[in-house]
Amino acid sequence: MNGTADPAIFVLLNEIAIIEHLARNQVERVLPDGLRLSHFTVLNHLVRLGDGRSLARIARAVQVERPAMTNTIQKLEARGLVRSAPNPRDGRGKLVFLTEAGRAMRGQAVAVMATALAPVPHGLTAEEIADLLGPLRRLRGALDRARDATEHAQDATADETAPQP
Amino acid sequence: MNGTADPAIFVLLNEIAIIEHLARNQVERVLPDGLRLSHFTVLNHLVRLGDGRSLARIARAVQVERPAMTNTIQKLEARGLVRSAPNPRDGRGKLVFLTEAGRAMRGQAVAVMATALAPVPHGLTAEEIADLLGPLRRLRGALDRARDATEHAQDATADETAPQP
DNA sequence: AGCTCCTTGTTCGATGTCGAACTATGTAGT
DNA sequence: ACTACATAGTTCGACATCGAACAAGGAGCT
């Protein structure tokens, strides 16, 4: 009817954008007391990969600009979920550490998110979820390289997937 | 090593969120003159599925709240990319139409996006892209149903995928 | 008709994110 | 040592999005 069919990659990215949007909204509705997904993402990152990291490094790993991370860390610190200290090795740097409250909050968030997302696997088998991951990681890699072509970053998001057995 | 392994669905959604973020940033850097992805999404929707739709209907289809769509339509109208007229059948409603400039802008945007995303398929074969789509559509469906469980919507995002052969 | 409930589009205030720009510090090259 | 240049963290202004709340109109029911 129309000659405007989108390329396959468009359709795929559109689908991904919608899924991200639905998942974000659904998850943010159940997170404890106004905790944003971006806040949780940082807590989760620090729990999984270890704390004592610099703000800039966290920002690169979770794919936000540094100003956004400054904001996020300030909010987390105001809630007592993280604390930060100057880096003794680097006068510019700042290291971010989890507090016990931060670890507890992350655990609580994981629990409610798991509950909220429980109905989802009914649309997808565990095997299908696993099968999706490989190609999606390569897609992410391709996007990372395409960005590097126009910019000049190299540490990208690699450490996000590091500790997978 | 740590006892904090995330459920598979978490890992999947995290990957999806990062891909969405990378793709959005990459695309918005090449869109003509400050055109936002949300603006393009509306233009693309109207070209593909037909114009003369109401603001609320477009908002549901592209998964944003009505205030956001009011803002988007106002920006598009200020640029002369769409025009709107009151719905003669419904005194509350407002119908949004594409202008020629809007159609042209959408075509131009598709072209530069295709160029910007050209390196991406090198990480993924066309067949893999196609294979991804089925499971992802079911994932979207599952999320839609999970949302319906706590809320009360039913038209969801179905028409977005309607014209697929 | 009248009443109730839903839908539409909008305005408002709050928040998160971005890019640009700035200061301070580290790093490399001469 | 000095002079670039890169990086860390922050502040600033712009902007999109959200949820809540509103006024206006439609739909259904008695």
Side-chain angles (χ1 to χ4, degrees), chain B:
Chain B
M1 189 212 307
N2 55 30
T4 56
D6 288 342
I9 184 70
F10 277 36
V11 179
L12 177 62
L13 291 176
N14 184 32
E15 199 67 39
I16 285 176
I18 292 180
I19 291 171
E20 191 275 340
H21 198 262
L22 288 169
R24 166 183 300 267
N25 285 357
Q26 220 147 317
V27 156
E28 287 204 337
R29 274 211 309 277
V30 300
L31 281 181
D33 181 37
L35 195 75
R36 308 285 160 171
L37 186 54
S38 53
H39 300 167
F40 167 76
T41 303
V42 171
L43 291 181
N44 200 38
H45 181 77
L46 293 176
V47 168
R48 294 203 321 153
L49 279 73
D51 58 355
R53 289 166 134 77
S54 79
L55 187 153
R57 192 173 170 197
I58 302 171
R60 278 191 299 269
V62 305
Q63 295 287 329
V64 300
E65 298 304 315
R66 290 189 302 289
M69 188 53 63
T70 293
N71 182 18
T72 299
I73 297 294
Q74 282 171 352
K75 296 296 166 60
L76 288 173
E77 207 162 4
R79 285 166 176 249
L81 302 177
V82 303
R83 63 185 178 78
S84 61
N87 186 344
R89 314 285 211 83
D90 186 335
R92 305 163 294 182
K94 180 180 178 177
L95 300 181
V96 181
F97 297 91
L98 286 161
T99 63
E100 274 317 305
R103 284 200 157 79
M105 178 65 91
R106 184 264 181 182
Q108 188 184 345
V110 167
V112 296
M113 285 170 64
T115 303
L117 294 177
V120 172
H122 292 245
L124 234 56
T125 70
E127 194 183 352
E128 282 176 320
I129 293 181
D131 287 349
L132 245 22
L133 251 111
L136 288 180
R137 288 221 172 93
R138 289 215 304 291
L139 174 55
R140 190 237 289 230
L143 283 166
D144 259 339
R145 285 192 301 278
R147 181 189 55 172
D148 292 357
T150 41
E151 304 213 355
H152 41 278
Q154 79 282 19
D155 45 355
T157 59
D159 60 347
E160 190 68 43
T161 54
Q164 305 296 340

